[in-house]
């Protein structure tokens, strides 16, 4: 029964979007982090999604071989961290400079809203599939 | 007599179940770079099942597996033409997929309603009261 696939497919999407929300939370929490070393300062992290291919040979044709989504990797932003002159900061290097993280809070907020909407849509798909299956089970009653 | 009890509604129910699964996959991959949205061409698949199966598969041996009537295979999955393709190559348009999903949902429930009506009729005929 292919409707049961919806639970696996949308469930994998819920998991992927949760990871995305977690990285967004981590980025926003570290938006003001500073370090005296450009190599050690926090860099914004973003998940990369990939279509999950169904390796179960029994029913590969039902969704064309793909069955949901997964997080392929979490990549760090390559934007250069901003340097500030702040000699009173305990993290400042010997020249009095600190590096602040390259997190862009506006980008993160937009990312969070997108993840939120995708999550809500996937929950809706699961609820719809559940309602339809319950009605199918009650067939003839 | 009972082979074709529910007419078109039995394969339609299976097909809508598959279509919902394909659309859920589109929704799940709404943020996946390079993902191409797909859909089942419902009319094309159903036109192959609206009469008696054109060439029914004969079961002549106990080990033969029954071929289910109706249903779509990978060849019936078509790629969707996006109204506006996004830069990352993803062709999922959330409102389009949501509209198709709720349409399929309503059609599934309609087929279910017709089947329930058939069952009620048959129960009436059997019980006679």
């Amino acid at each position: 029964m292919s409707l049961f696939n919806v639970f696996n497919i949308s469930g994998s999407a819920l998991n992927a979007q949760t990871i995305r929300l977690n990285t967004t939370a981590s980025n926003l929490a570290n938006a003001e982090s500073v370090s005296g070393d450009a190599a050690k300062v926090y860099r914004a992290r973003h998940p990369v999604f990939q279509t999950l291919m169904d390796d179960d040979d029994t029913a590969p044709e039902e969704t064309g071989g793909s069955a949901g989504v997964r997080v392929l990797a979490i990549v760090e932003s390559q934007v250069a961290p901003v340097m500030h002159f702040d000699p009173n900061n305990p993290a400042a290097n010997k020249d009095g400079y600190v590096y602040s993280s390259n997190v862009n809070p506006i980008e993160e907020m937009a990312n969070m809203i997108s993840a939120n909407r995708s999550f809500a849509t996937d929950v809706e798909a699961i609820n719809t599939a559940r309602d339809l299956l319950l009605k199918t089970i009650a067939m003839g009653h | 007599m009972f082979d074709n009890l529910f007419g078109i509604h039995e394969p339609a129910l299976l097909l809508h179940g598959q279509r919902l699964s394909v659309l859920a996959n589109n929704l799940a991959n709404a943020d996946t770079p390079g993902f191409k949205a797909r859909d089942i061409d419902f009319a094309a698949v159903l036109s192959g099942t609206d009469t008696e199966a054109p060439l029914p598969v004969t079961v002549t041996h106990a080990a033969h597996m029954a071929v289910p009537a109706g249903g779509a295979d990978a060849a019936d999955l078509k790629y969707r033409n996006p109204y506006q393709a996004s830069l990352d190559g993803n062709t999922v348009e959330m409102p389009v997929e949501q509209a198709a999903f709720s349409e399929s949902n309503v059609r599934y429930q309609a087929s279910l309603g017709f089947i329930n009506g058939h069952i009620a009729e048959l129960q009436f005929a059997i019980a006679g009261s």
Side-chain angles (χ1 to χ4, degrees):
Chain A
M1 188 68 200
S2 52
L3 257 186
F4 280 106
N5 287 344
V6 174
F7 294 112
N8 291 331
I9 292 167
S10 295
S12 73
L14 292 184
N15 186 42
Q17 299 295 350
T18 305
I19 292 171
R20 189 174 170 202
L21 282 170
N22 273 333
T23 55
T24 303
S26 167
N27 291 344
L28 286 173
N30 284 291
E32 306 295 330
S33 293
V34 293
S35 171
D37 185 351
K40 285 181 183 166
V41 71
Y42 182 87
R43 287 169 181 272
R45 289 164 192 189
H46 297 116
V48 178
F49 288 177
Q50 186 193 43
T51 306
L52 191 63
M53 300 313 282
D54 193 357
D55 51 2
D56 179 9
D57 288 337
T58 53
E61 72 280 1
E62 289 198 338
T63 55
S66 65
V69 63
R70 72 181 179 118
V71 174
L72 177 66
I74 293 178
V75 294
E76 286 194 332
S77 168
Q78 293 305 307
V79 178
V82 185
M83 196 168 70
H84 296 289
F85 183 64
D86 189 3
N88 294 324
N89 196 315
N93 61 14
K94 60 180 168 48
D95 299 323
Y97 285 99
V98 291
Y99 295 90
S100 49
S101 73
N102 61 359
V103 174
N104 181 349
I106 298 166
E107 197 182 302
E108 296 303 326
M109 293 304 285
N111 219 340
M112 188 176 76
I113 293 166
S114 171
N116 183 16
R117 286 198 54 192
S118 298
F119 193 96
T121 307
D122 294 321
V123 170
E124 203 58 46
I126 289 176
N127 282 339
T128 305
R130 189 200 57 205
D131 288 349
L132 287 179
L133 282 168
L134 286 176
K135 281 179 182 164
T136 311
I137 289 167
M139 187 193 284
H141 285 280
Chain B
M1 175 191 174
F2 292 113
D3 280 356
N4 199 17
L5 201 55
F6 303 122
I8 196 75
H9 300 300
E10 188 191 336
L13 203 65
L14 290 170
L15 203 53
H16 280 305
Q18 282 186 6
R19 185 164 183 232
L20 283 166
S21 168
V22 172
L23 294 173
N25 193 41
N26 289 347
L27 289 170
N29 285 287
D31 302 310
T32 308
F35 179 81
K36 307 295 178 203
R38 281 172 302 194
D39 198 355
I40 294 174
D41 187 351
F42 194 81
V45 178
L46 213 59
S47 64
T49 59
D50 59 354
T51 53
E52 295 291 309
L55 279 175
V57 180
T58 314
V59 178
T60 55
H61 189 270
H64 285 175
M65 281 187 269
V67 177
D73 54 23
D76 295 312
L77 283 174
K78 303 280 191 331
Y79 288 104
R80 200 189 288 296
N81 271 331
Y83 290 103
Q84 189 173 12
S86 66
L87 277 176
D88 64 359
N90 186 304
T91 63
V92 178
E93 284 165 328
M94 208 64 134
V96 174
E97 302 301 332
Q98 281 169 327
F101 194 86
S102 55
E103 184 210 329
S104 214
N105 176 15
V106 171
R107 289 183 185 274
Y108 186 96
Q109 294 197 45
S111 286
L112 208 53
F114 281 117
I115 289 176
N116 276 332
H118 275 294
I119 292 172
E121 273 173 26
L122 283 167
Q123 280 175 338
F124 181 73
I126 292 165
S129 61

